[in-house]
Amino acid sequence: MLLAVLRRIFHTFATRLSVALLSFAVVWLTARSLGAAGRGSVSLFVTDCAALLLFIGLLGGSSLIFLAPRRNVWHLLVPAYGWAVVVCTAGTVLAGLLRPVPVSYLGHLWALALLQAFLSINSALLLGRKREAAYNRLNLSQVALLAGLLLLAFMGLGWREVPVYYCAAYAAYGLPLLVSFGLLRRLPDRWEGGRGLRSTAAELSHHSRGAHLSNILAFANYRLSYYFVAHFVDARAVGVLSVGVALAEAIWLIPRSAALIQYVDLVHADDKQAQLAPTLRVARLAALATAAAVGVLALLPPALLAAVFGPEFGEARPVIAWLAPGVVAVALNVACSSYFAGLGQYRTNNWATTLGLLVTVPACWLLIPRLGIVGAAMAASLSYIASTAFLLVQFGRATGAGWADWLPGSRDVAYLRELVRSR
């Protein structure tokens, strides 16, 4: 059984690795073609979109995966879509009030955030029905389209302006969205009018508020530093910071791939306790792989970063080094939070991310004005370590697992070898 789980994790990891490599290509293309200032502008736009998507999850997100096995997917889709329109509209207006941005920027923000929201809702419903292959293909196709179109525009046609990113994104999210509708139509669910719609919406709202609050707080931990750097330094510094963060966080595809499969299995499992041992084993392997990967990344010389991304980006090297401890901590954080989410115990995750945010805000306020992007990396690692320590303590209290249960052993390596041989 565990070997079958590991195979599914391997497939999901392979897809996410491809997505990470293509995302790296997007970072590289925007950095090389637009420079640090242009890359900073793109990073702030992507961060604004991500913020809207997080609030959309207050009536959707992982709760769609949780409820999809037991509810009509079309009844889940209607309230999720309606809420997405409300959030994108209100969030775009708020963005215009908080920052001096052009009207054209706000138009792109509203439209692209809405496209991404609809696609994420459809993808979550497919994953909730264990259509993992379709889910993986949709995720891969959107970033492949974005990278391919940017390559064509920047390198092939010589169009090296920030608005090119917006144009490419419309196609990258719009085409997979159309495909996702076709995949949903293949499910056995049929629209039954308004019957049961209100109760489904109420249940979705109930689950989403608790499940998604931690995601909103986690986003603040991950990206609040961008706004601090933009305020205290400039857009160029945001661009350099974003490259270091993108490289370090790309490693999270390892623990997140593992946690996603474990979460889906836990939601569907009748015996929740039986999922504890597989969760611990997969988490140990993911943490070990994460530590190895981030160790290699932290050793990259500044000259290599400058050669790959451009002369301005050699400064990302200390950012990666200071992020490394936090990246490893998050590997364990993801395993614990997915376990509690699969049991519907969202309060624990919320407290962990709240603790992280309580560390992030003063750390950014104190460190970034003095140390710039290095201070941003320090603040992030402090936040990640604090929230992870809290989750490990709570996980131990809930399951009886001790600190030694998180340390990889020879049996874990044997399982990994068996998985590789089975390929």
Side-chain angles (χ1 to χ4, degrees):
M1 175 181 173
L2 181 58
L3 190 59
V5 172
L6 290 174
R7 286 196 188 100
R8 290 166 57 213
I9 291 172
F10 179 85
H11 288 300
T12 300
F13 171 76
T15 300
R16 291 200 165 198
L17 177 60
S18 300
V19 169
L21 292 174
L22 289 167
S23 298
F24 175 83
V26 171
V27 173
W28 179 79
L29 285 165
T30 52
R32 293 289 298 189
S33 302
L34 303 176
R39 173 61 202 169
S41 297
V42 169
S43 298
L44 287 172
F45 178 81
V46 171
T47 303
D48 285 344
C49 284
L52 294 184
L53 291 175
L54 278 170
F55 283 97
I56 286 165
L58 288 172
L59 199 65
S62 61
S63 294
L64 291 171
I65 303 174
F66 186 85
L67 294 175
R70 53 187 66 87
R71 285 288 191 173
N72 186 305
V73 295
W74 301 108
H75 284 177
L76 290 170
L77 184 144
V78 170
Y81 268 33
W83 177 246
V85 173
V86 171
V87 169
C88 286
T89 303
T92 300
V93 172
L94 184 61
L97 295 174
L98 292 178
R99 298 213 320 268
V101 293
V103 174
S104 59
Y105 177 97
L106 297 177
H108 292 309
L109 177 61
W110 180 84
L112 286 172
L114 200 58
L115 281 178
Q116 291 180 69
F118 289 166
L119 180 57
S120 68
I121 291 167
N122 291 6
S123 298
L125 291 171
L126 290 167
L127 182 59
R129 291 298 179 86
K130 286 201 167 184
R131 303 305 197 269
E132 293 162 9
Y135 175 85
N136 289 333
R137 285 195 297 270
L138 288 172
N139 283 339
L140 182 60
S141 63
Q142 57 186 297
V143 68
L145 282 169
L146 182 59
L149 291 171
L150 289 177
L151 178 64
L152 174 63
F154 289 153
M155 303 303 180
L157 301 176
W159 297 344
R160 301 192 174 190
E161 299 176 348
V162 172
V164 170
Y165 178 87
Y166 305 145
C167 296
Y170 282 112
Y173 299 120
L175 293 176
L177 176 61
L178 294 176
V179 173
S180 69
F181 280 117
L183 295 171
L184 285 176
R185 285 179 61 85
R186 295 180 186 178
L187 297 177
D189 305 58
R190 292 294 177 264
W191 176 250
E192 301 172 354
R195 186 177 58 186
L197 183 58
R198 179 175 297 182
S199 62
T200 300
E203 187 176 9
L204 179 61
S205 175
H206 171 73
H207 281 278
S208 297
R209 287 195 301 270
H212 207 67
L213 178 59
S214 62
N215 292 335
I216 294 174
L217 296 172
F219 172 81
N221 287 332
Y222 298 157
R223 292 294 179 265
L224 192 61
S225 61
Y226 280 23
Y227 297 108
F228 273 94
V229 171
H231 177 74
F232 287 114
V233 194
D234 53 27
R236 176 193 170 278
V238 175
V240 176
L241 174 64
S242 71
V243 167
V245 169
L247 289 170
E249 292 185 355
I251 297 171
W252 286 347
L253 71 94
I254 300 171
R256 283 176 173 170
S257 298
L260 180 64
I261 298 301
Q262 292 298 111
Y263 173 75
V264 172
D265 286 347
L266 190 59
V267 167
H268 285 265
D270 294 325
D271 185 0
K272 307 295 185 183
Q273 186 62 28
Q275 295 297 313
L276 177 58
T279 295
L280 284 170
R281 174 156 290 152
V282 169
R284 289 194 297 266
L285 292 172
L288 182 63
T290 300
V294 80
V296 172
L297 184 61
L299 294 175
L300 294 179
L304 179 59
L305 294 173
V308 172
F309 293 100
E312 298 174 284
F313 293 95
E315 301 171 38
R317 168 64 175 75
V319 171
I320 297 171
W322 281 104
L323 280 172
V327 171
V328 176
V330 169
L332 300 177
N333 186 307
V334 168
C336 293
S337 61
S338 295
Y339 183 81
F340 287 122
L343 297 177
Q345 298 176 11
Y346 306 120
R347 181 174 296 181
T348 303
N349 292 340
N350 293 341
W351 278 114
T353 47
T354 300
L355 175 62
L357 187 60
L358 291 175
V359 173
T360 295
V361 173
C364 285
W365 190 268
L366 293 172
L367 295 175
I368 291 176
R370 294 172 174 80
L371 301 174
I373 57 176
V374 171
M378 292 179 178
S381 279
L382 289 172
S383 171
Y384 301 159
I385 291 171
S387 60
T388 299
F390 176 84
L391 277 177
L392 288 174
V393 170
Q394 297 304 313
F395 187 90
R397 290 177 179 175
T399 64
W403 294 100
D405 292 314
W406 294 100
L407 299 177
S410 58
R411 294 184 62 183
D412 298 320
V413 177
Y415 270 107
L416 187 58
R417 288 176 179 171
E418 186 177 355
L419 173 64
V420 173
R421 285 198 300 268
S422 69
R423 297 298 305 157

